[in-house]
Amino acid sequence: MKRNSEASGLQTGTKISGVAHLVLVGVAIFGGAFQSEPLPFEVHEVSMISAEQFAAMTASRQPPDIAAQPIAMNEPDQDTGTPDLTASSDPTPAQTIPEQTTRPAQDGEPATLPDQPAPEAEATDTAPVLTPPQPAVVILPQNPTVRPQPRPVDRVAPVPVAAPPPDVAPAEVETPAVNPDEGAETPQDPAEATAPEEASERIVTEAEANEEPTSLAPVRSPRPPARPVAPPATTPPATTPPATTPRTAVNDALAEAMTGGAPATSPATPAPTGPPLTGGEKDGLRVAVSKCWNVGSLSSAALQTTVVVGVSMTQDGKPETGSIRLLSSSGGPEAAAKQAFEAARRAIIRCGSKGFDLPAEKYGQWRDIEMTFNPERMRIK
Amino acid sequence: MIRFLGTLLACLVVGIAMLAQSATAQQGPLRIEITEGVIEPLPFAVPDFVSDNASAAKYGAQLSRVIAADLAGTGLFREIPAKAFISPITDFGAPIKYADWKAINAQALIAGAVTVSGSRLTVQFRVYDVFSGAELGNGLQFVGKTDGLRRMAHKVADAVYSRITGEGGYFDSRVAFVSEVGPKNDRRKRLAIMDYDGAGVQYLTDSATIVLAPRFSPSGDRLLYTSYETGFPRIFVMDVGKVKRRMLDSPEGTMSFAPRFAPNGKTVVFSLAQGGNTDLYTMGVNNGKRTRLTSAPSIETAPSFSPDGRQIVFESDRSGAQQLYIMPASGGEARRISFGKGRYGTPVWSPRGDMIAFTKQSKGRFHIGVMRIDGSEERLLTASFLDEGPSWAPNGRVIMFTRETQGASGRASLYSVDITGRNLRPVRTPDGASDPSWSPLQQ
């Protein structure tokens, strides 16, 4: 029973397959699957003409007639006179010897160089010393424009400042006045205009202020650079071996590594972390402190004294007042160092009261700062 | 084997950690150097001194005004007006509200109290560094009489000045000068003395004779001056307290002038003109013993001792023009220290010993200038029709001099200027004034 059903199933499949193949073959034959496209060909139109018409067309192209006999040639004309055979010479033309001139070399033409004396052979035992090119020192002439004469003012600052309008409040930066607009959506706080105080870059005495304006003519001219002179040959200094033995160097390196790279004298100071401050960031701090470093009330002795001041900073850039300390001083007595330190301390506290503009992500670098206050350049103001 | 590998691994980890640390580490704290600052007056506040009764309140207000004028007059300080105060001081012993004084940018605060008992005046004060939140030095107290209020205020100002600047003050000092009245062709002159600021003028001589060039002694109790009382210039010495004078010994037929005390106060150096020649001499004030210092055919005059008494600076035309020279106090070879264009005169040695003030005439104008004792760093501080006769303040920071205006009715007056050339200002006197001589600080 089961076998019969399986056999009938196989027969059914065979039938279906056969029918399908037949249909497919029929479609292929009658559907044009085996027909090819006709090859392309060119068609030219022609016209028929008669023999007379062809003769008329070719008549103008007939070759010329050729004579059957050659034509006789004419005799040439004979000269009857005998030529004069006496020897004579042509007069020699007067020749003038041109002056020898040097012809200018034409473009693209090789010029003839005069003979060059052969250089004498030089042979030295010492290697030549290369002279580094000396920088050309050029003194620029003075600006011919009349420079404004500095005026004596109460304030001397590194950058001169013009007199502000009379109705503004003194401040470190110039800000316009703010008048709150009643119709504004965001309320504004009224603020008065501020401007930096008038300042000169140096002290101007009455004698200097009354000086006559200088001439427009430059008082100095650039001096030609001197001929470079080869420096005397020097024997290279004998390199002395380091005093430390490899054993000691290894020990030092190990000791430095064990202390984290910090000097061995201050093992208690933690090493700063984070990326170092850029030059611009350091300059910003330097300028900020300079604005408040007032040396006008210092004694002459204090103006001779350089002090190094240490200060610890909070994370918001403000100095910790109690941490400001005098680390060292030089150039003056103790009393003068005390005055100089107090002026430096006032500068740090005053200009740091709102926080110095320092990058917070580098706090580890500026948590502890040592500021050297050197008044040397202020003495000559 | 496993133990060895573990040790090796640990060493590698430690080494990498150390390398990373050394790559980011900075040697010590951040270091910066500041070489540019500002030069400007330091703002200060001096409220009226606290008083316990109405009569004393008057003195408290006067004291604060004199102190403020002293400090502001130096050009080194700037007073913050009282109307800007946020919390006036009403109790001398109360804690200072630094924030209120910081808010008005007062960098120094002077707080004081005054009590009056009869004619007895007691003044107490303290100086505060506002931004440091600390007192500068200790509190001080002065006791005096009510008529000495100005002197007490000057002493307070001197103490404040000294604590802030680090150098001595000059407010409790006096100035001797020649008071001048009348036109140039009929000018009457007399010696006078006053406080450094022009207050309390007292006349020491009448105007019957011409007097010139008063010079204080190192202790400030005597004056040397030149008088034409005898018809010729002669040197006199006067006791300032008693206003008694006597003429120093001088040979007949000579003229003596331009006197100045030696630092010991016992010797005088002066010019003596004899036989058409002027030379320098010293003379004992008490014994009259005279010593000749120069013997050149040129004119030597205007001598001034160095503070240590070892050298003398003077003017001489021995080179053909008026220049400055320095020689040993006992005489001897002199060396020239002025080499600029123009004529130099009236040199005065600074009390500090490091500078010399002088008068210079150049291109038709007169200047007061200063230079180092070797002649270097010459700097002209003033310029006018006629400036002359510099005199140093006791602390060597300020110079007072005479300025005379042009014309027949020109008036002589006194001016002061800081040695930096700043703060040029007139000294107010009731009449014309010339030839100032600044005294040392009063005891």
Side-chain angles (χ1 to χ4, degrees):
Chain A
M1 195 65 187
K2 190 176 181 180
R3 272 187 190 170
N4 291 338
S5 63
E6 286 178 357
S8 67
L10 286 173
Q11 288 175 356
T12 305
T14 304
K15 290 175 183 176
I16 294 170
S17 174
V19 171
H21 278 87
L22 287 173
V23 169
L24 185 62
V25 169
V27 169
I29 292 171
F30 300 105
F34 297 102
Q35 292 179 355
S36 60
E37 292 289 334
L39 295 173
F41 60 93
E42 293 181 357
V43 178
H44 296 277
E45 292 182 357
V46 297
S47 59
M48 302 296 286
I49 60 174
S50 63
E52 291 80 11
Q53 288 175 331
F54 180 77
M57 288 171 63
T58 59
S60 60
R61 298 181 186 177
Q62 292 297 326
D65 295 337
I66 302 173
Q69 295 299 324
I71 301 171
M73 298 181 65
N74 297 330
E75 288 290 329
D77 295 340
Q78 296 294 323
D79 189 358
T80 56
T82 303
D84 185 5
L85 298 178
T86 55
S88 66
S89 60
D90 295 336
T92 304
Q95 291 184 342
T96 57
I97 301 173
E99 293 180 0
Q100 191 174 4
T101 56
T102 56
R103 189 167 56 90
Q106 301 294 326
D107 289 341
E109 189 178 26
T112 304
L113 295 176
D115 292 338
Q116 192 172 18
E120 295 180 2
E122 277 185 288
T124 58
D125 294 335
T126 58
V129 179
L130 293 178
T131 306
Q134 295 183 350
V137 179
V138 178
I139 302 172
L140 296 177
Q142 289 182 334
N143 191 345
T145 58
V146 177
R147 291 183 297 176
Q149 292 287 326
R151 295 188 304 151
V153 294
D154 279 347
R155 190 169 194 266
V156 177
V159 179
V161 179
D167 55 345
V168 300
E172 291 183 3
V173 295
E174 184 177 3
T175 55
V178 176
N179 296 317
D181 186 2
E182 294 180 354
E185 295 179 357
T186 305
Q188 292 177 306
D189 295 332
E192 59 182 356
T194 63
E197 291 182 76
E198 182 180 14
S200 174
E201 59 187 344
R202 63 183 175 88
I203 294 173
V204 181
T205 68
E206 184 188 41
E208 293 167 340
N210 291 338
E211 277 182 354
E212 295 178 357
T214 55
S215 169
L216 296 181
V219 295
R220 290 184 299 175
S221 61
R223 188 175 181 177
R227 182 189 299 272
V229 178
T234 57
T235 57
T239 56
T240 56
T244 56
T245 62
R247 174 84 179 177
T248 309
V250 170
N251 292 339
D252 292 343
L254 284 174
E256 187 177 354
M258 294 302 289
T259 56
T265 55
S266 58
T269 304
T273 58
L277 266 66
T278 64
E281 289 164 345
K282 287 183 181 178
D283 281 342
L285 176 63
R286 187 181 300 118
V287 170
V289 179
S290 298
K291 287 179 180 176
C292 293
W293 186 36
N294 182 10
V295 299
S297 59
L298 287 184
S299 66
S300 301
L303 279 174
Q304 307 274 347
T305 308
T306 297
V307 292
V308 181
V309 179
V311 57
S312 297
M313 309 289 289
T314 60
Q315 286 196 343
D316 55 358
K318 294 180 181 176
E320 294 177 6
T321 307
S323 72
I324 302 175
R325 60 209 178 275
L326 176 64
L327 298 177
S328 63
S329 66
S330 59
E334 187 179 351
K338 183 172 179 290
Q339 305 298 329
F341 166 65
E342 286 171 354
R345 181 169 62 180
R346 278 195 291 270
I348 296 171
I349 296 174
R350 279 181 59 212
C351 277
S353 60
K354 295 179 181 177
F356 292 111
D357 186 15
L358 291 165
E361 68 276 11
K362 301 177 182 178
Y363 174 61
Q365 293 287 339
W366 50 264
R367 181 175 50 203
D368 293 304
I369 306 177
E370 282 184 15
M371 300 184 187
T372 301
F373 291 84
N374 183 355
E376 184 179 358
R377 295 173 67 179
M378 301 302 295
R379 287 200 296 269
I380 58 176
K381 292 279 188 185
Chain B
M1 184 65 183
I2 294 173
R3 191 176 178 182
F4 172 73
L5 288 175
T7 306
L8 185 62
L9 184 63
C11 289
L12 281 173
V13 170
V14 170
I16 291 170
M18 287 178 177
L19 282 175
Q21 188 180 11
S22 63
T24 58
Q26 169 186 280
Q27 295 296 320
L30 174 65
R31 292 183 175 88
I32 62 171
E33 182 174 17
I34 296 153
T35 57
E36 292 278 7
V38 296
I39 299 174
E40 60 184 350
L42 186 141
F44 74 96
V46 52
D48 288 351
F49 279 21
V50 179
S51 55
D52 52 2
N53 56 59
S55 62
K58 178 184 65 177
Y59 295 114
Q62 290 179 16
L63 281 165
S64 68
R65 291 305 86 216
V66 174
I67 294 167
D70 283 348
L71 294 175
T74 63
L76 305 181
F77 301 92
R78 174 170 59 83
E79 187 192 10
I80 296 175
K83 62 182 181 182
F85 295 171
I86 297 173
S87 57
I89 293 176
T90 54
D91 182 0
F92 180 62
I96 299 296
K97 298 177 181 176
Y98 290 110
D100 290 344
W101 298 103
K102 280 183 187 176
I104 59 173
N105 195 34
Q107 295 181 34
L109 171 67
I110 301 124
V114 57
T115 54
V116 180
S117 175
S119 63
R120 181 186 170 91
L121 190 69
T122 303
V123 177
Q124 300 172 308
F125 74 97
R126 294 183 188 276
V127 187
Y128 299 94
D129 186 338
V130 173
F131 281 85
S132 297
E135 187 178 351
L136 279 175
N138 297 320
L140 272 183
Q141 174 177 300
F142 294 113
V143 179
K145 293 185 177 180
T146 52
D147 58 359
L149 179 140
R150 286 186 61 84
R151 268 204 73 188
M152 296 174 75
H154 289 324
K155 284 193 172 296
V156 173
D158 276 331
V160 173
Y161 181 95
S162 177
R163 290 182 185 186
I164 295 176
T165 67
E167 60 192 2
Y170 56 87
F171 308 121
D172 187 25
S173 61
R174 292 189 291 178
V175 174
F177 63 101
V178 175
S179 175
E180 300 185 0
V181 179
K184 282 185 177 177
N185 58 359
D186 185 22
R187 189 156 286 179
R188 288 161 286 151
K189 300 185 175 184
R190 49 181 173 166
L191 280 187
I193 193 170
M194 64 180 182
D195 291 352
Y196 93 99
D197 56 0
V201 175
Q202 294 177 315
Y203 296 99
L204 303 177
T205 63
D206 58 26
S207 55
T209 58
I210 294 176
V211 289
L212 297 173
R215 300 288 181 255
F216 265 109
S217 67
S219 55
D221 58 345
R222 291 168 295 164
L223 271 177
L224 288 171
Y225 66 97
T226 304
S227 172
Y228 281 76
E229 189 175 322
T230 62
F232 292 96
R234 290 281 189 272
I235 297 172
F236 286 74
V237 59
M238 174 182 282
D239 186 317
V240 177
K242 299 176 182 175
V243 196
K244 287 187 177 179
R245 62 187 177 86
R246 69 179 174 90
M247 188 175 69
L248 295 184
D249 187 29
S250 183
E252 288 294 327
T254 64
M255 295 186 290
S256 52
F257 52 93
R260 202 177 288 268
F261 277 103
N264 61 13
K266 298 176 182 175
T267 308
V268 176
V269 61
F270 63 101
S271 292
L272 184 71
Q274 189 171 23
N277 187 28
T278 303
D279 279 307
L280 298 181
Y281 290 76
T282 56
M283 182 171 61
V285 177
N286 294 326
N287 58 21
K289 181 182 177 183
R290 194 167 57 246
T291 305
R292 184 168 185 165
L293 302 179
T294 63
S295 56
S298 51
I299 297 175
E300 278 75 38
T301 186
S304 172
F305 273 98
S306 63
D308 59 6
R310 294 180 177 177
Q311 299 179 90
I312 293 173
V313 61
F314 62 98
E315 66 173 72
S316 170
D317 62 354
R318 61 181 65 181
S319 66
Q322 206 173 317
Q323 299 291 341
L324 305 184
Y325 295 81
I326 288 179
M327 69 176 179
S330 56
E333 188 177 356
R335 60 183 169 89
R336 179 175 166 180
I337 62 169
S338 63
F339 294 94
K341 294 178 180 176
R343 293 190 291 176
Y344 296 77
T346 65
V348 190
W349 215 300
S350 159
R352 296 177 183 171
D354 58 345
M355 304 193 89
I356 289 170
F358 56 86
T359 303
K360 181 176 182 178
Q361 186 184 6
S362 176
K363 298 179 181 176
R365 293 178 72 79
F366 281 80
H367 308 272
I368 299 296
V370 292
M371 64 170 65
R372 296 277 173 193
I373 60 173
D374 59 358
S376 64
E377 298 183 30
E378 176 185 328
R379 189 169 196 192
L380 301 181
L381 310 179
T382 71
S384 84
F385 166 70
L386 179 56
D387 286 349
E388 63 180 356
S391 178
W392 288 95
N395 67 352
R397 175 90 190 210
V398 183
I399 293 172
M400 194 177 289
F401 61 96
T402 305
R403 170 166 290 185
E404 188 159 340
T405 54
Q406 199 170 0
S409 60
R411 184 177 187 268
S413 52
L414 302 183
Y415 277 72
S416 67
V417 64
D418 191 276
I419 58 168
T420 61
R422 304 175 74 199
N423 198 38
L424 175 68
R425 57 174 53 207
V427 180
R428 307 212 175 275
T429 53
D431 301 309
S434 65
D435 280 343
S437 176
W438 213 318
S439 81
L441 281 178
Q442 300 186 75
Q443 302 301 319

